[in-house]
Amino acid sequence: MINLNDIMETINMISEENLDIRTVTMGISLLDCADSDAKKACDKIYDKITRMAGNLVKTGEEISAQYGIPIINKRISVTPISMLVASSGGDPVMYAKALQKAADATGVNFIGGYSALVHKGFSAGDEALIRSIPEALSVTNNICSSVNIGSTKAGINMDAVKLMGQIVKETAEKTADRDCIGAAKLVVFCNAVEDNPFMAGAFHGVGEPDSVIHVGVSGPGVVQAALKKCPDGDLGQLAEIIKRTAFKITRMGQLVGTEASKRLGVSFGIVDLSLAPTPAIGDSVAHILEEMGLERCGTHGTTAALAMLNDAVKKGGVMASSYVGGLSGAFIPVSEDAGMIAAARSGDLSLAKLEAMTAVCSVGLDMIAIPGDTPAEVISAIIADEAAIGMVNSKTTAVRVIPAIGKKVGEDLEFGGLLGSGPIMDVNLSMSPKKFIDRAGRIPAPLQSLKN
């Protein structure tokens, strides 16, 4: 039976509390686009993406209009392009330009998958693609890149970690005239997942169907509003409120995903129930933590509060859909979260505290602006630390830092839109990790990897 109270509650969530579907992402396999001629392979890539996703944006808009549910982004993820480079050869940037042409033709916000998976070592195509990332992201607007450098099963590829420190800095330098936007479209992962609908880390894994629809929901404002109604409850009561709220949010994502799958004639994949914040007031994960009782996000107790939030979101979501996947939990991107921005500007939220928080949240160090003169080996060391957290805890972790070329601590980078703006945060440069990073090699997998 239709419950009018539930309908009114959902309407209020959308109109007053920033509830939305953050993204409908179509994953597309490009494995059948390989060709002995690189140019023909790029033509096949363009043809397949435009054929499969030609109606993606239109369908998203129709569903949004029919159900009154805002769908903010329509995106595409593709097979890691390093695999196409390995089989078809040619300059990897050709493939980036082909993806951009397809993005323009389909009207999507982003295409993710200019990626390489090198957690145990480099295979054909991997190193060429990675070294091309700065150029590829500087000559395109809607292409996102990711590199997986470690996993619980494989350990950490420190050769790749060292290289990625250099690549992140080069990418920022290549786009310094645009507030280093290239680095904001580049993620370094440990334990990357194959069905992530969120950018910049989305790619279409080889275990996925030929084409699939994934949905990423979001609702930090809804969770915060629900907690406001229980100002004196204990933490167990708050966890129950978060679970019930996550259930409702995920149900909406399931509805949109199922409908989009049916209309587009492709498989339904997963709902990613991550709380993805925006710079808008009332749409902040940091403000949820503060509603739970912290005076400011970043103070002592923040990691415990975030752990409870992340767990409750997952528990509520899995009861609402049989196909919860992706990253699913709470994101803490600094520049994309009004509360995080305020805490970083006031000095209450440090890079060290953010690293501790990543042990219990969905991803990792995300959308963090650092001084432009930060050495590449320090960026590599930041990546290594974050990968170690993911490897040992059998969870996905990631690093998306933006070296702000020509800027220092206290200044801002301004990206606009969902990427927001962020204060440049202090990085510990008093001692160097260079000798450790230069050793390279591979950090062996931890004991907990031996589960078979």
Side-chain angles (χ1 to χ4, degrees), residues 136-158:
L137 296 186
S138 72
V139 299
T140 59
N141 296 316
N142 304 89
I143 306 308
C144 292
S145 180
S146 60
V147 178
N148 192 64
I149 51 79
S151 72
T152 300
K153 280 288 189 182
I156 302 172
N157 178 356
M158 291 299 290

Side-chain angles (χ1 to χ4, degrees), residues 121-132:
F122 299 97
S123 61
D126 289 336
E127 190 169 349
L129 181 128
I130 290 172
R131 291 190 182 278
S132 76

Side-chain angles (χ1 to χ4, degrees), residues 60-366:
E61 291 171 348
E62 290 173 348
I63 294 171
S64 181
Q66 179 176 342
Y67 292 100
I69 300 170
I71 300 175
I72 306 302
N73 293 293
K74 298 86 179 175
R75 298 165 170 169
I76 295 169
S77 62
V78 298
T79 304
I81 291 298
S82 65
M83 296 181 180
L84 275 295
V85 176
S87 58
S88 302
D91 179 2
V93 178
M94 290 173 55
Y95 298 82
K97 291 178 178 178
L99 294 176
Q100 181 61 56
K101 184 181 175 185
D104 293 337
T106 56
V108 295
N109 305 96
F110 288 111
I111 294 183
Y114 198 77
S115 306
L117 311 179
V118 294
H119 35 282
K120 208 167 185 177
F122 299 97
S123 61
D126 289 336
E127 190 169 349
L129 181 128
I130 290 172
R131 291 190 182 278
S132 76
I133 288 172
E135 176 69 14
L137 296 186
S138 72
V139 299
T140 59
N141 296 316
N142 304 89
I143 306 308
C144 292
S145 180
S146 60
V147 178
N148 192 64
I149 51 79
S151 72
T152 300
K153 280 288 189 182
I156 302 172
N157 178 356
M158 291 299 290
D159 295 311
V161 169
K162 179 179 179 180
L163 178 57
M164 286 311 301
Q166 299 163 8
I167 294 299
V168 168
K169 187 150 188 179
E170 288 175 22
T171 304
E173 290 170 345
K174 278 272 192 181
T175 54
D177 60 333
R178 288 167 278 163
D179 270 337
C180 310
I181 187 66
K185 296 185 290 180
L186 171 59
V187 184
V188 186
F189 276 116
C190 178
N191 288 323
V193 298
E194 296 192 342
D195 55 4
N196 171 20
F198 285 99
M199 300 296 168
F203 63 87
H204 187 71
V206 295
E208 294 286 298
D210 188 60
S211 184
V212 67
I213 287 290
H214 301 310
V215 172
V217 299
S218 183
V222 177
V223 174
Q224 183 187 358
L227 294 179
K228 278 183 182 292
K229 299 171 185 174
C230 186
D232 301 315
D234 65 26
L235 294 176
Q237 290 173 298
L238 296 190
E240 285 299 315
I241 291 170
I242 295 166
K243 283 164 56 180
R244 289 197 299 270
T245 305
F247 178 91
K248 295 170 185 175
I249 293 170
T250 307
R251 273 294 194 204
M252 188 179 75
Q254 175 84 17
L255 167 66
V256 169
T258 302
E259 190 66 22
S261 168
K262 182 172 68 176
R263 295 187 187 195
L264 290 166
V266 301
S267 302
F268 171 64
I270 57 92
V271 178
D272 186 318
L273 50 94
S274 296
L275 297 181
T278 73
I281 300 301
D283 203 24
S284 162
V285 169
H287 288 160
I288 296 175
L289 304 179
E290 291 165 6
E291 193 65 47
M292 292 166 71
L294 302 174
E295 185 172 356
R296 174 82 82 172
C297 177
T299 189
H300 298 295
T302 298
T303 306
L306 181 60
M308 192 188 94
L309 171 64
N310 209 54
D311 179 67
V313 166
K314 291 177 187 290
K315 286 175 177 173
V318 296
M319 294 301 293
S321 173
S322 297
Y323 299 102
V324 170
L327 301 168
S328 290
F331 290 176
I332 53 170
V334 173
S335 82
E336 297 176 12
D337 185 306
M340 295 285 179
I341 293 168
R345 283 188 175 136
S346 68
D348 294 298
L349 183 63
S350 66
L351 192 59
K353 185 61 178 177
L354 279 163
E355 183 180 296
M357 293 164 67
T358 64
V360 299
C361 77
S362 282
V363 193
L365 296 172
D366 195 18

